[in-house]
Amino acid sequence: MYRAVVVDDEKWALRGILHTFPWAEYDFSEPEALTDPEEALSRILADPPDAAFVDIRMPGMTGLELIAAARDASIASEFVILSGLQDFAYARSALQYAAFDYLLKPLHFDAARELLARLKVHLDGLDRSPRAGASLAQVRARLVASKMPDAGEDAQEADAFTRLVRYVDAHLSEPLQLKDMAVQFYLTPNYVSNLFRTRLNTTYSAYVSGLRVDRAKTLLRGTRMTVEEIARSCGYADAQYFSRVFRQQTGFSPIQYRKGEEAP
């Protein structure tokens, strides 16, 4: 069993984190829950866990300061940052200290499950590639999408876009047509397309496709699901089309990736 520590100074948030992640399903024992970041750092230094889930803004010591201190002491634990903060500077810091991933509160069960599945694969040592954790694009996308609106940008529309991105991240198995998402979040398709280009430097379809392939990679190496089952779980009704998309993005067929074969 893997061991985790969860650190958040707000007890109600701590309870929410503990109940959102399906720990046992991914071979984690019940995490140690701590509200004092300095105490948490002492515990981590004395007995490093496999993973530590930390809030950013805490009294006395921020989550990033905790991670920096652990890294300075050569602690190799994987760190996951959990925060409601809307500031891209924290994303840069998270990457600087090699955080495994960065999730925004409120947490969604599907996103928490997906992260824990990737973390297990990483800890199992099944995926040695640089994308075992969140890719730079994923972390940047989540943080840029959630930053405060720029001067002159309508705050309500910016908030709707943030919620749209979070919804997409948590509902990858469902149809996610741009026009339908725009209607659901009271935006126009052109406005959504422009925001993806200006904020995330990508298109809506490329963003969704990238997240789906990342989830597929996790499921291929972390579960015994068939390719057809994985395709459906990632929002593809046609397994052959899914395989084509997967090969285009990774250079591997799904079966090759699962077996750890070299790309042809």
Side-chain angles (χ1 to χ4, degrees), residues 68-184:
R71 293 298 187 225
D72 287 344
S74 300
I75 298 300
S77 303
E78 296 296 343
F79 286 92
V80 176
I81 295 175
L82 306 172
S83 178
L85 291 175
Q86 300 177 332
D87 187 339
F88 185 63
Y90 284 94
R92 291 196 296 269
S93 297
L95 294 171
Q96 176 185 350
Y97 295 118
F100 182 82
D101 207 344
Y102 186 117
L103 283 185
L104 290 172
K105 300 175 183 177
L107 301 178
H108 294 282
F109 181 77
D110 288 345
R113 176 190 293 274
E114 191 269 343
L115 183 145
L116 212 56
R118 280 191 291 106
L119 182 56
K120 180 185 184 303
V121 170
H122 179 67
L123 293 173
D124 284 346
L126 297 178
D127 190 351
R128 302 294 185 181
S129 71
R131 297 186 66 173
S135 68
L136 172 60
Q138 282 181 288
V139 175
R140 180 177 181 275
R142 288 175 185 152
L143 271 293
V144 173
S146 65
K147 71 181 181 68
M148 293 299 287
D150 298 325
E153 184 180 5
D154 185 276
Q156 289 184 336
E157 289 186 342
D159 178 66
F161 179 69
T162 298
R163 289 186 287 108
L164 183 153
V165 171
R166 291 179 180 175
Y167 181 90
V168 167
D169 193 44
H171 294 82
L172 292 176
S173 63
E174 303 173 11
L176 295 170
Q177 296 297 320
L178 172 60
K179 59 182 179 62
D180 296 330
M181 293 296 96
V183 170
Q184 181 170 338

Side-chain angles (χ1 to χ4, degrees), residues 214-227:
D214 279 341
R215 169 178 283 186
K217 291 172 69 178
T218 296
L219 295 175
L220 283 165
R221 290 191 173 175
T223 75
R224 295 184 179 181
M225 295 170 65
T226 67
V227 171

